[in-house]
Amino acid sequence: MRQFLYAFFLGLLSTSANAQYASVAGRITESGNPVELATIRLMNTDIQIHSDVNGFYQLQNLNPGTYTLVVDQVGYQSFRKKIQLVSTQSLLLDIQLTPITSLVSDVVVTGTLKEVRKTESPVPVEVYTQTFFKKNPTPNIFDALQQINGVRPQLNCNICNTGDIHINGLEGPYTMVLIDGMPIVSSLASVYGLSGIPNALVERVEIVKGPASSLYGSEAVGGLINIITKKPQHAPSVYVDYMQTSWKEKNADLGFVWKPLQKAQVLTGINLYHYNDPIDKNKDGFTDVTLQQRISVFQKWNFQRKENRLLSVALRYYYEDRWGGEMNWNKRFRGGDSIYGESIYTKRWELTGQYQLPFKEKILYAVSYNDHDQDSRYGTTSYIARQKIFFQQLTWDKKSGAHDVLAGITARYTFYDDNTPATADPVGSKNIPNRNWLPGIFVQDEIRLNAKQQLLLGLRYDKHDVHGNIITPRLAFKWKTGDQESIRINAGSGFRVVNLFTEDHAALTGARKVVIKNELKPERSYNINLNYSKKLLTTRGVIWNFDISAWYTYFNNRIIADYESNPNEINYDNLNGHAISKGITLNTELSLLNGLKGMAGITLQEVATVNQGIKTQQILTEKITGTWSLSYRIKPWNLGIDYTGNFYGPMRLPLLGPLDPRSAHSPLWSIQNIQLVFSGMRSIELYGGVKNLLNWTPNKGNPFIIARTNDPFDKQVVYNTNGQVEATADNPYALSFDPTYVYAPNQGIRFFFGMRVSIK
């Protein structure tokens, strides 16, 4: 069919030229796929058209002469070429566009739960594609997010490297992670779920900063990360990506597409990660990086239906064995008190599905299920837990005049059981697993007031078994002040129902006793966000994107972990006061005709608690953060150069007492990387470089990172009558063993090399 259209189009071109004028026509593509709505123009003239759905374009009735033809499309490098036209000439010129490195996709779904162009969304959404993440290749999505301004993967333990994702300074439990729009990554598995997604399957990552509970419910308080996987029809037939580092880390991604049925396409992805060589460069007797053996298998089925109705099913299995601890630890010491180690076995199943009902109205049923089984040992403390989450949602999308209404009903069932006090029977000896239903209903109306102004109104109601009725409103307003310029205002509230033992790794390490002073109430937040974005495209083809946001979030019932009142305890309670998160963030991107591209972002923020009029900075939260990347392509050599980096400002760190000699605040620190990419071979790409060029680790400026590594079971610690650690000749700083003093990775400089094979 495509060849027929091409022949027909060229035939039309040949008959359209007359004796006086010339014409230019052809097809605009990217990797063989048509590029629709690309802008084609002749510089210094008023002639301008757009490519059609098949990528075809045609410029007619042109006077003979010399022109500069320019092609622009959002997400692609500007193309320009000088052409010489003579009378009656019909020039055939096919054009292949090259994607730019970051905000490539112009379609987003996360902000409003429906596909819209990014520029038309009343909710500001940041979009990052696989091309962007390739600039600093990583073995998993968790590590890759460090390249995004305002988003930081936070390690919460020096030994097992458990972590979470911070958005604008808020801890991981405030961030909801979705896969293809479904809340598949539960709070128990934020780091494990993100570590097992094969990068080769990721189409793009969409990020919304600020509360979105009116659409997504609990946990969507600080923001959303939506990982959107590739559609089988858009993925390569075979894709292989293998990378190895000088620390002997090995990562392999394998993806392939097959068609078992006439109307079904299947995308399969496998991720394998292997690191089994203990390294102790800081000489404290403990592993610097957790050792891991990981396998993740993902499969996504897409079915063709009448009228292009949606039907897709995805399944993922994940298994991981990770451990960290003393260098001479092995599995026979697991759970014992002679050699300290933290060992975690994780098994996880995930299922998602989407089905568009066979009605004239657009009604979509979506479902997800995950089963997470974890067996952990933190020294002598065991944590054995199982969590099952079933989620279903029915949405109805209706457009009528200036209104675009989305309504939905949801139901979320959570089963959680472990061997901690969270599920213990206070009377008997049996566990009482938590079983909670969280049904909800929501509606939003996106109103187009005029050609330049949109208003979004939303409201959600949830009914919790314990906490009762929860209502979360939302308001968004977009004003298009120019062709490529917009102002957005968003306001709303969020809520979070808390389970410490699935969200806070510090509660599980065994290094401190967990004390829950009162029954924890659900947190509530109120947020307002102001966003301004502008895109400039000069007559010389220079693209400059500029995006700035300011936000303010106010929390009630904020749950605080108190590390400082007692160095042997973690005291959890709702804050008797309020908490705030406020700041300003800037993202900018520049693309030049000489092949140089750059992007940079900076965030200034304050995240603090206010208790009895006293403001205190939140522990492990930076005041300033920034990211950057510079890319340059030397076309004659088929060589690309990528320089990426980030920096983080002072954080308040958890000390064990007034005698603790470690720094109370982190310095301004930076991780920088450089990469060379050679793409001169068909279907094969070679890459390599250096990670952490500055060889930065948190040991610099500190006498030690992990406290009392010589006595990890506190066998020689002396306590006074109040339970406080006493200073002794063997323990002059009055410390106990504690691995929670962590703000940066312990992994220093290392080299990496990799190869990608992509067969269309």
Side-chain angles (χ1 to χ4, degrees):
M1 183 65 181
R2 180 179 296 175
Q3 288 80 1
F4 173 77
L5 289 173
Y6 204 14
F8 175 78
F9 187 76
L10 293 178
L12 182 65
L13 169 65
S14 63
T15 59
S16 64
N18 57 41
Q20 300 297 324
Y21 298 107
S23 60
V24 182
R27 191 163 182 259
I28 299 174
T29 61
E30 185 265 313
S31 299
N33 298 315
V35 177
E36 181 184 3
L37 296 177
T39 300
I40 304 98
R41 59 191 175 89
L42 298 180
M43 287 184 60
N44 301 320
T45 74
D46 295 329
I47 300 173
Q48 178 174 304
I49 61 170
H50 293 90
S51 57
D52 66 14
V53 68
N54 296 303
F56 293 122
Y57 74 96
Q58 183 180 17
L59 296 169
Q60 303 182 69
N61 300 326
L62 303 178
N63 291 317
T66 301
Y67 298 91
T68 299
L69 184 141
V70 179
V71 180
D72 294 307
Q73 175 58 298
V74 174
Y76 297 90
Q77 297 180 32
S78 181
F79 173 91
R80 60 172 51 198
K81 183 180 179 64
K82 283 191 175 181
I83 56 175
Q84 179 73 42
L85 299 177
V86 297
S87 179
T88 71
Q89 181 183 8
S90 298
L91 177 64
L92 174 62
L93 179 61
D94 288 339
I95 297 168
Q96 183 168 335
L97 297 183
T98 302
I100 59 177
T101 56
S102 59
L103 305 182
V104 178
S105 177
D106 193 37
V107 176
V108 296
V109 298
T110 307
T112 57
L113 260 181
K114 60 178 72 177
E115 284 197 353
V116 296
R117 289 194 176 275
K118 179 177 180 290
T119 54
E120 297 300 320
S121 172
V123 179
V125 182
E126 296 180 18
V127 186
Y128 300 90
T129 68
Q130 189 184 74
T131 304
F132 169 79
F133 292 117
K134 284 181 179 178
K135 296 154 76 69
N136 178 29
T138 61
N140 53 64
I141 292 295
F142 179 80
D143 291 335
L145 293 175
Q146 66 185 285
Q147 300 179 68
I148 299 176
N149 179 34
V151 178
R152 182 170 68 88
Q154 165 67 38
L155 293 178
N156 295 325
C157 177
N158 271 301
I159 297 177
C160 70
N161 287 173
T162 300
D164 55 36
I165 301 296
H166 290 203
I167 292 183
N168 288 345
L170 296 176
E171 298 101 320
Y174 295 90
T175 299
M176 175 172 277
V177 181
L178 308 103
I179 299 180
D180 290 330
M182 300 301 293
I184 194 67
V185 179
S186 60
S187 54
L188 181 64
S190 60
V191 63
Y192 310 109
L194 285 173
S195 295
I197 299 173
N199 288 356
L201 300 185
V202 176
E203 177 75 23
R204 66 185 187 271
V205 176
E206 298 181 2
I207 295 177
V208 175
K209 298 174 180 177
S213 293
S214 64
L215 277 184
Y216 295 94
S218 178
E219 299 172 16
V221 177
L224 296 166
I225 298 175
N226 191 3
I227 300 167
I228 298 175
T229 59
K230 292 180 180 292
K231 295 179 180 179
Q233 58 268 35
H234 295 162
S237 298
V238 178
Y239 182 90
V240 180
D241 188 347
Y242 176 81
M243 183 178 72
Q244 182 169 337
T245 74
S246 56
W247 281 47
K248 299 183 181 179
E249 301 162 288
K250 304 177 182 69
N251 185 79
D253 279 350
L254 171 65
F256 57 90
V257 176
W258 59 297
K259 193 172 183 178
L261 303 171
Q262 182 178 0
K263 294 187 177 182
Q265 286 184 306
V266 182
L267 172 65
T268 301
I270 301 172
N271 171 250
L272 300 171
Y273 180 80
H274 177 87
Y275 173 57
N276 200 34
D277 292 292
I279 294 177
D280 180 24
K281 290 187 178 294
N282 60 15
K283 306 301 181 184
D284 63 359
F286 278 66
T287 53
D288 291 342
V289 179
T290 299
L291 289 84
Q292 299 179 52
Q293 313 289 323
R294 180 175 74 228
I295 180 170
S296 177
V297 181
F298 176 90
Q299 193 166 82
K300 182 176 181 179
W301 289 64
N302 272 21
F303 297 90
Q304 296 179 2
R305 298 175 59 209
K306 292 181 179 180
E307 300 181 9
N308 292 321
R309 292 191 179 100
L310 178 64
L311 174 57
S312 68
V313 179
L315 180 69
R316 185 168 77 112
Y317 172 74
Y318 173 87
Y319 174 79
E320 183 182 69
D321 176 1
R322 67 163 64 194
W323 75 269
E326 295 186 75
M327 292 290 288
N328 57 342
W329 185 92
N330 59 54
K331 291 185 178 180
R332 66 189 179 93
F333 297 108
R334 193 173 194 261
D337 65 351
S338 56
I339 305 296
Y340 188 89
E342 298 187 359
S343 171
I344 303 172
Y345 300 150
T346 302
K347 292 187 294 184
R348 181 175 176 86
W349 288 94
E350 298 173 354
L351 173 69
T352 61
Q354 297 185 76
Y355 174 74
Q356 185 176 345
L357 274 63
F359 301 133
K360 183 178 181 181
E361 302 286 343
K362 188 176 181 180
I363 302 176
L364 183 67
Y365 175 72
V367 62
S368 72
Y369 173 79
N370 66 71
D371 186 336
H372 186 96
D373 193 348
Q374 185 168 321
D375 183 343
S376 308
R377 300 294 186 277
Y378 303 94
T380 58
T381 301
S382 66
Y383 175 62
I384 302 172
R386 189 163 189 188
Q387 186 177 50
K388 304 176 185 178
I389 296 179
F390 174 73
F391 177 85
Q392 57 182 338
Q393 176 174 274
L394 185 69
T395 57
W396 173 57
D397 188 359
K398 176 67 175 180
K399 294 183 179 180
S400 178
H403 296 266
D404 189 348
V405 178
L406 180 72
I409 55 175
T410 68
R412 177 172 175 172
Y413 172 76
T414 302
F415 169 92
Y416 176 73
D417 190 18
D418 67 15
N419 63 329
T420 74
T423 59
D425 185 348
V427 179
S429 59
K430 294 183 179 180
N431 268 16
I432 304 177
N434 291 332
R435 294 180 172 90
N436 293 316
W437 275 99
L438 186 61
I441 184 171
F442 64 87
V443 62
Q444 75 172 18
D445 185 7
E446 188 175 336
I447 308 167
R448 184 169 293 276
L449 303 176
N450 52 53
K452 295 186 176 182
Q453 295 178 338
Q454 295 169 256
L455 176 66
L456 184 145
L457 302 173
L459 186 68
R460 183 185 180 104
Y461 167 78
D462 291 272
K463 174 71 173 178
H464 194 269
D465 292 346
V466 177
H467 304 294
N469 303 321
I470 304 173
I471 298 176
T472 48
R474 183 189 201 186
L475 180 146
F477 176 74
K478 174 178 174 287
W479 179 20
K480 189 174 182 180
T481 54
D483 290 340
Q484 301 290 341
E485 183 180 51
S486 297
I487 295 175
R488 296 175 174 89
I489 300 174
N490 279 256
S493 67
F495 74 96
R496 184 170 75 96
V497 178
V498 182
N499 188 331
L500 294 178
F501 293 90
T502 65
E503 298 175 353
D504 194 341
H505 172 266
L508 308 172
T509 62
R512 300 190 186 206
K513 180 182 178 181
V514 175
V515 178
I516 302 175
K517 291 188 172 182
N518 299 290
E519 181 181 353
L520 299 179
K521 301 175 183 178
E523 298 184 6
R524 295 298 303 262
S525 70
Y526 307 90
N527 172 274
I528 186 168
N529 179 291
L530 176 63
N531 171 263
Y532 171 77
S533 62
K534 184 175 179 63
K535 178 180 178 180
L536 294 176
L537 177 62
T538 70
T539 56
R540 297 187 177 183
V542 176
I543 302 175
W544 183 46
N545 292 331
F546 177 87
D547 189 284
I548 186 170
S549 294
W551 80 92
Y552 181 89
T553 306
Y554 180 96
F555 292 90
N556 281 332
N557 296 332
R558 181 74 185 272
I559 294 175
I560 301 297
D562 179 5
Y563 293 84
E564 298 168 319
S565 297
N566 189 327
N568 299 308
E569 296 179 349
I570 307 175
N571 294 297
Y572 291 97
D573 201 357
N574 288 109
L575 180 67
N576 184 18
H578 67 275
I580 60 170
S581 170
K582 61 181 180 180
I584 186 169
T585 183
L586 168 67
N587 288 304
T588 184
E589 182 179 10
L590 187 65
S591 179
L592 305 179
L593 288 175
N594 61 5
L596 180 66
K597 305 178 191 65
M599 63 178 302
I602 188 170
T603 299
L604 302 173
Q605 63 188 15
E606 180 185 19
V607 182
T609 60
V610 180
N611 191 5
Q612 297 180 354
I614 300 175
K615 182 184 291 186
T616 305
Q617 180 187 356
Q618 179 178 281
I619 285 180
L620 295 174
T621 303
E622 65 278 10
K623 292 184 177 180
I624 182 172
T625 178
T627 60
W628 72 85
S629 67
L630 285 174
S631 298
Y632 183 69
R633 180 170 175 81
I634 307 174
K635 292 184 179 180
W637 299 355
N638 295 305
L639 184 67
I641 304 173
D642 297 306
Y643 171 52
T644 61
N646 52 52
F647 66 87
Y648 302 99
M651 304 179 194
R652 192 167 68 90
L653 304 176
L655 298 181
L656 294 180
L659 299 179
D660 194 329
R662 296 173 294 183
S663 175
H665 292 85
S666 69
L668 184 70
W669 55 280
S670 175
I671 301 293
Q672 301 178 25
N673 320 282
I674 194 165
Q675 174 185 234
L676 300 178
V677 181
F678 177 72
S679 54
M681 295 180 288
R682 184 179 179 182
S683 302
I684 298 177
E685 189 173 75
L686 303 177
Y687 61 92
V690 182
K691 290 182 177 291
N692 198 355
L693 279 167
L694 304 181
N695 196 28
W696 169 261
T697 63
N699 294 85
K700 296 182 179 181
N702 272 310
F704 52 84
I705 295 297
I706 303 175
R708 300 257 327 151
T709 56
N710 62 314
D711 183 24
F713 297 99
D714 290 337
K715 294 180 179 181
Q716 301 171 26
V717 173
V718 177
Y719 300 91
N720 60 24
T721 56
N722 296 323
Q724 301 287 331
V725 178
E726 283 192 349
T728 63
D730 178 63
N731 188 10
Y733 302 122
L735 304 177
S736 57
F737 175 72
D738 185 38
T740 61
Y741 184 95
V742 54
Y743 63 90
N746 283 322
Q747 197 170 22
I749 189 171
R750 59 203 182 279
F751 301 92
F752 68 94
F753 175 80
M755 179 178 68
R756 300 185 186 99
V757 179
S758 181
I759 301 174
K760 300 294 184 181

